[in-house]
Amino acid sequence: MSDLSSFAITRKWPARHPERLQLYSLPTPNGVKVSIALEELGLPYEAHRVSFDSQDQFSPEFLSLNPNNKIPAILDPQGPGGVPLALWESGAILIYLAEKPQAQALQLLPTDAALRYETLQWLMFQMGGVGPMMGQLGFFHKFAGKDYEDKRPRDRYAAETRRLLGVLNQRLSGRRWLMGDAYTIADIAVFPWINNLLNFYGAGELVGIAEFPEVARVLQAFLDRPAVQRGLQQPGLA
């Protein structure tokens, strides 16, 4: 039996199955990246909801795991060398999960060096561009930003989102996924944000999604995957 008692976070979110990877998250675009990856890889895990309504992310227990007070975060009882590992930042977690020995056969991160770095390139494209820009657009389009009379901030993020969609659309032309036939963590990183942009922020018309048919095509293929559906609807995070 794995002993996670030395990790303060387990005092607020007790592990019913301490032998499983512990996920602390919410069903946000960044949060579901990890639950989708875990479902795709078939790795046993236990999900814990970090409620923003009650500011769980600022609790001493959560900050003991992630001092940056953001979700998702994980605690893996079977870390490198069999030693428990706490990890945060969704991109880092995706790389870590894809490289776990029991996950490598699925090749969510290619072992070929050139293809590996190309995959990481698109992962970083999401981390540095797609997520931040679409998140800001969501703020100004759906949330408090709509109260601003000055629409220049919203329009700035809408224009940058359109540019990023154009980059993706060009990349996906003639390809099944971002890396061609291979489905990777780059897709798992990018497409929850596209889904959120259209189906939660309701910004499809604003960004002219009809102009990006390749993005829409691959998004639908992504959403049709059973593991994606399970990851998006993880009941422990609802």
Side-chain angles (χ1 to χ4, degrees):
M1 180 69 70
S2 302
D3 183 7
L4 301 178
S5 61
S6 63
F7 292 88
I9 195 165
T10 63
R11 294 196 280 275
K12 186 173 179 65
W13 291 277
R16 292 168 295 170
H17 303 282
E19 74 283 1
R20 301 179 186 176
L21 186 147
Q22 306 293 305
L23 169 63
Y24 308 92
S25 193
L26 278 175
T28 67
N30 282 334
V32 299
K33 291 180 200 174
V34 177
S35 54
I36 289 170
L38 288 164
E39 293 288 346
E40 292 280 9
L41 293 166
L43 296 173
Y45 70 104
E46 182 176 350
H48 304 277
R49 178 181 175 86
V50 180
S51 174
F52 286 1
D53 291 340
S54 55
Q55 296 194 321
D56 283 348
Q57 72 272 31
F58 296 112
S59 66
E61 293 86 357
F62 188 77
L63 291 173
S64 72
L65 188 68
N66 183 0
N68 196 36
N69 63 268
K70 304 290 184 184
I71 60 95
I74 64 169
L75 175 55
D76 185 0
Q78 301 299 323
V83 178
L85 175 71
L87 197 61
W88 46 278
E89 277 296 337
S90 59
I93 295 171
L94 288 180
I95 296 169
Y96 172 71
L97 294 178
E99 291 187 331
K100 283 181 70 67
Q102 59 268 51
Q104 289 179 355
L106 292 178
Q107 293 278 299
L108 289 185
L109 182 58
T111 55
D112 175 84
L115 294 176
R116 170 188 165 84
Y117 286 116
E118 191 175 353
T119 303
L120 294 177
Q121 165 187 271
W122 287 101
L123 172 63
M124 298 308 161
F125 171 79
Q126 184 279 306
M127 298 292 293
V130 169
M133 294 301 104
M134 293 184 184
Q136 292 295 337
L137 176 58
F139 172 82
F140 283 102
H141 182 63
K142 184 177 176 70
F143 297 111
K146 63 187 177 183
D147 297 326
Y148 288 73
E149 292 185 10
D150 186 349
K151 298 305 179 187
R152 285 177 295 178
R154 185 204 66 178
D155 292 345
R156 170 182 170 81
Y157 290 116
E160 180 62 5
T161 294
R162 282 194 295 271
R163 189 190 71 79
L164 294 169
L165 288 170
V167 174
L168 287 169
N169 202 71
Q170 182 179 28
R171 171 68 179 182
L172 292 167
S173 180
R175 288 183 170 89
R176 186 179 178 191
W177 302 105
L178 284 166
M179 290 299 295
D181 287 337
Y183 174 76
T184 70
I185 58 173
D187 302 293
I188 294 174
V190 166
F191 285 101
W193 276 102
I194 307 298
N195 181 50
N196 205 65
L197 174 75
L198 303 182
N199 297 316
F200 182 66
Y201 294 155
E205 184 176 350
L206 177 63
V207 300
I209 191 61
E211 301 172 24
F212 310 105
E214 300 297 329
V215 174
R217 170 183 61 83
V218 181
L219 171 63
Q220 190 56 58
F222 179 75
L223 295 175
D224 286 343
R225 295 179 69 88
V228 170
Q229 295 169 18
R230 294 193 300 270
L232 288 171
Q233 300 167 9
Q234 164 50 245
L237 305 179

